[in-house]
Amino acid sequence: MNPKSILEEQINKRLRSIAVVTAAIIPAEEVISLQKNMNRSNSYSQKLKQKLTLIQEKEGVIEWVFIFSMTEDGRLIHLVADKGFVIEPREEYIGPPEMMNVAYQAFNGKAGVTPIYEDKYGEW
């Protein structure tokens, strides 16, 4: 294995473990309640934002922690994220194919990692 492959594998494992931890500490009921009431000041939004910010701060190596929902027609809508996230709640995310494919896979229970890519928000 070459050094690049080893590094990509380690990053992939690390990010997958963060995704699993995030999913484990975020109750589905809170996300469902937030989807029903997308008011940024509601208690579910504030509580989830605090939890996601804590995960981001504790991990230290990831830039953002966020939750999106997918509409029936396949659009990705930002629900909530850590305090530094660049996409506003309720905003639709339209990204490059590599990101959209990983996002769609995530909604089918498959965590994934994209290569670095660029969109209107910057480099990810």
Side-chain angles (χ1 to χ4, degrees):
M1 230 182 217
N2 67 42
K4 183 180 177 187
S5 297
I6 294 169
L7 182 58
E8 285 177 351
E9 182 181 319
Q10 291 303 311
I11 290 170
N12 198 343
K13 285 180 184 176
R14 173 85 171 157
L15 291 174
R16 284 177 195 271
S17 69
I18 293 168
V20 169
V21 168
T22 301
I25 67 167
I26 304 294
E29 301 80 35
E30 289 181 15
V31 176
I32 292 167
S33 295
L34 179 60
Q35 283 180 292
K36 292 177 182 174
N37 178 5
M38 287 292 293
N39 181 337
R40 273 192 237 180
S41 62
N42 80 34
S43 63
Y44 294 111
S45 178
Q46 293 304 311
K47 192 184 304 183
L48 287 169
K49 185 175 192 150
Q50 288 173 348
K51 286 180 181 181
L52 296 174
T53 298
L54 182 64
I55 292 167
Q56 188 272 333
E57 290 171 348
K58 288 212 179 277
E59 289 299 327
V61 296
I62 54 175
E63 194 155 354
W64 296 304
V65 182
F66 45 80
I67 299 174
F68 281 80
S69 66
M70 185 181 294
T71 63
E72 288 183 18
D73 60 353
R75 296 180 309 124
L76 293 177
I77 307 298
H78 172 227
L79 293 178
V80 65
D82 67 86
K83 67 181 178 188
F85 196 55
V86 297
I87 302 173
E88 292 296 318
R90 294 182 280 198
E91 186 176 341
E92 178 180 3
Y93 177 74
I94 301 170
E98 55 267 286
M99 173 53 202
M100 300 308 284
N101 289 337
V102 168
Y104 293 139
Q105 289 176 12
F107 280 96
N108 289 310
K110 215 174 160 188
V113 178
T114 65
I116 293 175
Y117 64 89
E118 198 167 320
D119 61 17
K120 71 179 190 176
Y121 301 100
E123 189 175 81
W124 299 60

